[in-house]
Amino acid sequence: GTVTATDNCDKDVKITFTELKEPGTCDNAYTLKRTWTAEDNCGNIASKTQIIKVGDGTPPVISGVPADTNAECDNVPATATPTVKDACDPTVVLTYKEEKINVTCTDAYTLKRTWSATDKCGNSTAVTQNITVKDTKVPVIGTVPADATVDCNAIPVAPTVKATDNCDKDVTVTLKEDNTAGSCAASGTTLRTWTATDNCGNTSTKTQKLTIKDDTKPVLANVPANATYECDVVPNAPTDVTATDNCDKTPKVEYAEVKKDGTCPDTYTLERTWTATDACGNKEAKTQIITVKDTKAPVLSATPADAVVDCNAVPTAPTNITATDNCDKGITVIFKEDKSAITNGCGGSYTLTRTWTATDNCNNSSVKTQVIKVEDKGAPILAGIPADTSAECDNVPAPATPTATDACDTNVKITFVETKIDELCTDAYTLKRTWTATDACGNKDTKTQTIIVKDNKIPTLVGIPIDASANCGVIPLVPTGIVATDNCDKDVSIVFDEKSVPGTCAASVVITRTWTATDNCGN
C-alpha cells in the first residue's frame, strides 16, 4: 500500500519500506512482514508494520474418474486414467489405490478404486469408483461313471472328477457317498455325489448309484492248537487272532471262554472259541481246548532244625511258617505237635514232634517236621543254706531246713549229712553239714555249712568245805559229796589229792586237800 506521514515541523517526511518473508509450513504458505519507517529532519522516527499470512487452502481437482458400476467376475472393466489440476501447485502428483472391500467370496466383492492428489501444502482430494463384482455362474462338472451293481469286495474306486468355471480356475470338486443299508451292513446301495463349488459357492452336482452285495464268510487266522498245561502256566488267550474278509476290512472277532471244572479247583478244561463275523453276518468259528492240571505240591518256608534242649528252654513253635504254591494263592499251613516219652528217659524227658503240612486246592501236600528232644540237664538249686559260723559247744544251732527248686522236677529230693571233723576233744570240733538236692534225672546241687564248735568254759566244783582247824585226835573225814558241773560235759571227772606238811610240833600238821575237776576238753 502507499503510506504517508505527517510531522509537526518537517513537511516532507522521508518514508522507507522493508518486506521480510518468513517460511511457513509449506512452499505456498508463508508470512510477509512489511514495515514502514518515517524519519523527520531531526532523526525522529516512527514505524508501523503489517503482517500478511499467506496460505494454500484449496485442494487439487481430479477429473475423469468413472462412475460406480456392476460387473461379472470374468468381465471387470480396466482401470481409468484421470487427470489432476491445482490452483497453486503445478506439479501435483496423482496416486492410485485399488482395494477389495465387502468381500463375500474370492470372485464376489466390491472393487474400490481411489485416485488421490495432495499439493505441497497438504491439501488433498480423493475420488473413488466402486465396482460391484459378482459371480453368478455355476461350475460345469466333467463326466462321471454310470450306475452299476458290484460285489462288496469289488467296489470300484471313485474317479477324480474335475469341473470348469467362468472365474474360478481351480474349482473344488467334493465327493460324498451316501450308503443305504441293504439286507446286511456290507450290502445295499451307495450313492456317489460329486459336487463342484466355485469360490463364491455356486454349485453343480452329478451322481452315480452302486448296488452292493456280500455272501462270503470271513477267514480266521492264528487260532492255537489244543494243549495241556500246568495250572500256573496257562497262557493268556492270544491277542493276535485275526480275521480277513472279502468285503469287511475289519470283521468283528469275538472271543468266548468256557471253563469246565475238573476234580479240584485247579484242574479243569478251558474251551476258547473265536468267532469272526463280517458286516453281513457271515461267520466262521474255531475252538482251542486247554487241559489244565495241578501236580505240584506247595513249598513250605524254612522250618526250625531238629534240636536237643533243656526242659526249661523248649522253644515256642514259630507262627510265621507259610507256604507258596504254583496255583493256590491262599494255602493254610496246618501245625501239629505230638509229645511222646523218651525210651529209657528220666524224670520229665520227652520228645516233641512238630509237623507243618501245606495242602493246595488239589490235595497236593508237602510236610516238614522238627523233632525236639527235651532233656533235664540242669541241676536243682538249693536255697536257705546258712553261712559258716562258730558256736560254743552248748549252743550249736539246729540244722536248717533248706528248699530246692528245679526247672523240670517239682518234687526234688533233699538229703542231709552231718559229719564231725577236725575233732580236738569231745566238745571242740568242726561240724560239717551237707545238703544234697537231687532231681528225677540225677542232677545234683550240693551245699555245705561249716560250724566250728568250741569249749572255752571251765567246770564248776560244788560242796568243797571251807578251810578249818581241828584237834589232832578228831581230824574231819574227806567229804564224799563233792560234784562238778560243766556247760558241755555231763560227767566231769574229779581228781582228789591230799598232802600233809608238819606243823610247829610233833603232833601238829597242815593238811591240804585239793579237788580238781577237768571237762572233756581239758578245762
Side-chain angles (χ1 to χ4, degrees):
T2 302
V3 175
T4 61
T6 59
D7 186 72
N8 59 334
C9 299
D10 190 348
K11 303 303 181 186
D12 187 16
V13 179
K14 182 180 179 182
I15 298 174
T16 59
F17 170 73
T18 61
E19 183 178 80
L20 178 63
K21 183 178 181 180
E22 296 178 352
T25 57
C26 61
D27 290 350
N28 296 324
Y30 51 89
T31 301
L32 285 180
K33 188 175 183 182
R34 292 175 175 174
T35 304
W36 290 267
T37 303
E39 183 177 358
D40 64 13
N41 292 328
C42 288
N44 297 304
I45 296 173
S47 295
K48 286 191 176 180
T49 300
Q50 175 193 33
I51 294 175
I52 302 173
K53 291 184 178 181
V54 180
D56 182 1
T58 303
V61 177
I62 300 172
S63 304
V65 175
D68 293 347
T69 187
N70 297 325
E72 189 68 21
C73 58
D74 57 345
N75 192 28
V76 178
T79 305
T81 308
T83 58
V84 61
K85 291 182 180 181
D86 188 73
C88 299
D89 188 353
T91 60
V92 177
V93 176
L94 185 64
T95 61
Y96 172 70
K97 179 182 179 182
E98 182 177 273
E99 59 181 328
K100 289 181 179 180
I101 64 174
N102 302 325
V103 178
T104 57
C105 61
T106 303
D107 297 318
Y109 49 87
T110 298
L111 194 61
K112 184 178 181 181
R113 291 173 172 173
T114 303
W115 290 265
S116 300
T118 304
D119 63 19
K120 292 180 179 180
C121 284
N123 300 301
S124 297
T125 299
V127 181
T128 300
Q129 178 194 25
N130 290 314
I131 302 174
T132 302
V133 180
K134 300 179 180 180
D135 182 5
T136 61
K137 296 180 180 179
V138 299
V140 177
I141 299 175
T143 303
V144 299
D147 296 345
T149 297
V150 296
D151 195 77
C152 58
N153 64 337
I155 299 173
V157 176
T160 300
V161 177
K162 293 185 177 181
T164 58
D165 187 70
N166 62 325
C167 298
D168 189 351
K169 303 307 177 187
D170 186 16
V171 179
T172 299
V173 179
T174 59
L175 171 64
K176 179 182 178 184
E177 291 190 350
D178 292 316
N179 298 314
T180 301
S183 59
C184 62
S187 66
T189 59
T190 296
L191 183 65
R192 291 175 171 172
T193 302
W194 287 267
T195 301
T197 306
D198 64 16
N199 291 326
C200 288
N202 299 302
T203 61
S204 59
T205 61
K206 285 189 176 181
T207 61
Q208 176 197 27
K209 181 179 180 181
L210 294 175
T211 301
I212 302 165
K213 62 178 181 177
D214 177 17
D215 53 11
T216 304
K217 67 181 181 179
V219 177
L220 279 165
N222 302 323
V223 174
N226 295 342
T228 299
Y229 293 99
E230 190 69 18
C231 56
D232 58 332
V233 292
V234 177
N236 292 327
T239 58
D240 61 344
V241 175
T242 59
T244 56
D245 187 71
N246 63 326
C247 298
D248 190 349
K249 301 303 180 186
T250 57
K252 182 179 181 181
V253 178
E254 294 179 310
Y255 169 71
E257 183 177 270
V258 177
K259 181 179 179 181
K260 295 182 178 180
D261 294 337
T263 56
C264 62
D266 294 315
T267 299
Y268 52 89
T269 300
L270 290 179
E271 290 186 2
R272 293 175 170 174
T273 301
W274 289 265
T275 302
T277 306
D278 66 17
C280 281
N282 300 303
K283 294 184 178 182
E284 180 184 49
K286 287 187 177 180
T287 299
Q288 176 197 29
I289 296 176
I290 297 178
T291 302
V292 181
K293 297 181 178 180
D294 180 6
T295 61
K296 295 180 181 179
V299 178
L300 280 162
S301 61
T303 56
D306 293 347
V308 178
V309 300
D310 198 75
C311 59
N312 64 340
V314 178
T316 302
T319 59
N320 60 345
I321 305 301
T322 60
T324 58
D325 188 68
N326 60 328
C327 301
D328 189 349
K329 304 306 178 187
I331 294 179
T332 300
V333 178
I334 304 301
F335 172 70
K336 181 181 179 183
E337 184 176 81
D338 293 319
K339 182 177 180 180
S340 58
I342 298 177
T343 302
N344 299 324
C346 63
S349 300
Y350 58 92
T351 299
L352 282 181
T353 302
R354 292 174 171 173
T355 303
W356 291 268
T357 303
T359 304
D360 66 17
N361 290 327
C362 288
N363 289 321
N364 299 302
S365 295
S366 59
V367 179
K368 284 190 177 182
T369 301
Q370 178 193 28
V371 177
I372 301 176
K373 186 177 180 182
V374 181
E375 298 179 348
D376 184 1
K377 296 181 177 181
I381 299 175
L382 277 165
I385 304 298
D388 294 346
T389 188
S390 61
E392 192 66 22
C393 58
D394 59 343
N395 194 30
V396 176
T401 306
T403 59
T405 57
D406 187 73
C408 304
D409 190 351
T410 58
N411 188 23
V412 179
K413 181 180 179 181
I414 299 176
T415 60
F416 173 69
V417 176
E418 185 176 81
T419 306
K420 284 183 179 180
I421 62 173
D422 301 329
E423 188 171 358
L424 301 176
C425 60
T426 302
D427 295 315
Y429 50 88
T430 297
L431 194 60
K432 186 177 183 181
R433 292 174 173 172
T434 302
W435 290 268
T436 301
T438 306
D439 65 16
C441 284
N443 300 301
K444 296 181 178 183
D445 181 25
T446 300
K447 290 185 179 178
T448 300
Q449 178 193 27
T450 301
I451 302 174
I452 298 175
V453 181
K454 301 176 181 179
D455 183 3
N456 294 320
K457 296 181 180 180
I458 62 175
T460 301
L461 282 165
V462 178
I464 302 298
I466 63 174
D467 292 347
S469 295
N471 195 292
C472 62
V474 286
I475 297 172
L477 296 175
V478 176
T480 59
I482 304 301
V483 295
T485 60
D486 187 71
N487 62 326
C488 297
D489 191 351
K490 305 306 178 186
D491 186 19
V492 179
S493 172
I494 299 175
V495 176
F496 174 73
D497 178 56
E498 185 178 83
K499 292 180 180 180
S500 296
V501 176
T504 58
C505 63
S508 67
V509 64
V510 177
I511 299 173
T512 301
R513 291 174 174 171
T514 302
W515 288 267
T516 301
T518 304
D519 65 17
N520 290 325
C521 287
N523 298 302

